[in-house]
Amino acid sequence: LVKDCQENIPSTEIPSHAKRGYPKGFGDDRLITPETELKYVLNFENNQLDTAIRMVIRDTLSPFLDPTTVRPGARSHDFTYEVTGEGILKFTFEDINLPPGGSASSRGFVKYTVSQKPDNPGGALIKNGAAIFYNFGHPNFTENTCHKIEDFVRVSTEEIFHPAVEQVK
């Protein structure tokens, strides 16, 4: 049994095929620094009418991410993965035997982390989406995740120049 702890989101708000990126980032633009490593979670649910024997996820990485740094993490089912072409991840779940939707056993997830490429420009958008295929059928697409790269102003509290706050540690 694999347990997965994530942000508490009402189940009515999670689509059957979802991709989320962490950290969430700051503000509505989901701002991150150029050094921030990203973790992605792909959730899936067999919404077909029959048991899924085989499932494939194709996840196209943003050109601002380094495909050589992909590290698979926790998952609900065993899989193999490969990186093909220009940053296309392929997760293959053979003999997954995922029953049709409606129960907890019809759902699953896979996580992975990936680093940004060096020298990404400020203002660049890291967008990602995935396609999920059951039993060689048509793809089910996730919504794109999006983060925006920004350099943040760093504030130091090493030296304080105001006499009223010099006692602050």
Side-chain angles (χ1 to χ4, degrees):
L1 175 66
V2 177
K3 293 186 180 183
D4 181 36
C5 298
Q6 298 182 28
E7 174 183 18
N8 189 10
I9 300 173
S11 60
T12 56
E13 295 179 21
I14 299 175
S16 58
H17 302 96
K19 182 175 183 181
R20 292 179 285 162
Y22 296 98
K24 288 180 84 170
F26 179 75
D28 292 338
D29 287 337
R30 300 184 68 168
L31 302 174
I32 59 171
T33 66
E35 301 83 28
T36 302
E37 183 177 71
L38 293 170
K39 177 183 280 187
Y40 289 102
V41 180
L42 290 155
N43 294 91
F44 51 86
E45 180 177 3
N46 180 9
N47 56 10
Q48 311 299 303
L49 298 175
D50 199 3
T51 298
I53 305 302
R54 181 177 194 266
M55 190 183 82
V56 173
I57 298 175
R58 289 211 168 132
D59 187 342
T60 303
L61 294 177
S62 163
F64 297 111
L65 297 176
D66 182 354
T68 66
T69 65
V70 171
R71 291 181 316 280
R75 80 273 185 227
S76 58
H77 300 81
D78 289 334
F79 66 87
T80 59
Y81 90 99
E82 62 183 310
V83 180
T84 62
E86 293 295 317
I88 299 172
L89 302 181
K90 181 181 175 187
F91 298 94
T92 303
F93 298 80
E94 296 287 355
D95 300 318
I96 191 168
N97 296 317
L98 208 58
S103 70
S105 60
S106 67
R107 297 183 201 115
F109 70 94
V110 62
K111 294 181 179 184
Y112 69 90
T113 56
V114 61
S115 299
Q116 295 183 48
K117 288 183 178 176
D119 303 319
N120 279 336
L125 297 177
I126 298 177
K127 292 183 179 182
N128 280 69
I132 302 169
F133 301 82
Y134 298 96
N135 295 335
F136 306 98
H138 296 290
N140 294 276
F141 294 100
T142 67
E143 290 187 13
N144 283 333
T145 64
C146 188
H147 289 88
K148 185 175 182 181
I149 301 171
E150 286 294 334
D151 282 323
F152 290 91
V153 175
R154 299 185 193 274
V155 178
S156 172
T157 57
E158 298 286 326
E159 298 179 39
I160 299 174
F161 299 105
H162 195 282
V165 292
E166 287 183 1
Q167 301 301 323
V168 175
K169 298 275 184 205

